[in-house]
Amino acid sequence: MSDQKFGKFDDLVEMTPEPLRPVTIRLKELLLFVDPDARVVVRLGDRAATFGIGPKKMSEGYCYILPYTHWVNLGFYRGVDISDPDKLLEGTGAKMRHIKIRSIVECDNPRLVTMIRDALEERKAALGVA
């Protein structure tokens, strides 16, 4: 998954299984609701869209959307550093965590907005951005 071919979010949606396209679009809407100024970088080789305060995936990105066959990951590049009282986050990496979103209804969980906001604030603080 390292082909760095860039594209548009619509390209990512087209790559997403039909039943999950509304989920993918709704997650983008949530991310842009929290951060209307987000830098969105779609890497088609990764099949993912990174949302960040700049274009660098690992240092400036705070969230990503990664569609699979039966769910869409709402990922957090530094998920270990954000509050998760409801135990929504999955993963065993050193920093990254994700939430598997399987339906549009799951996108309406208010904790998602809080977690996205926390991830954005973490990146701003770490990079000294006001």
Side-chain angles (χ1 to χ4, degrees), residues 64-102:
Y64 62 89
I65 295 172
L66 175 57
Y68 283 90
T69 303
H70 300 292
W71 65 82
V72 179
N73 277 0
L74 172 60
F76 298 87
Y77 285 106
R78 281 155 200 84
V80 297
D81 297 327
I82 61 174
S83 175
D84 183 22
D86 299 327
K87 306 289 188 229
L88 300 174
L89 293 171
E90 299 181 36
T92 59
K95 300 270 183 202
M96 295 173 65
R97 296 290 183 270
H98 63 273
I99 301 171
K100 291 177 181 166
I101 308 291
R102 293 177 173 85

Side-chain angles (χ1 to χ4, degrees), residues 22 24-34 65:
T24 302
I25 292 165
R26 180 66 180 128
L27 289 174
K28 176 188 177 192
E29 292 169 352
L30 280 177
L31 284 153
L32 293 178
F33 170 78
V34 172
I65 295 172

Side-chain angles (χ1 to χ4, degrees), residues 4-16:
Q4 289 301 315
K5 181 180 177 190
F6 296 97
K8 297 181 180 174
F9 197 83
D10 288 344
D11 298 327
L12 181 63
V13 172
E14 285 183 29
M15 296 170 71
T16 302

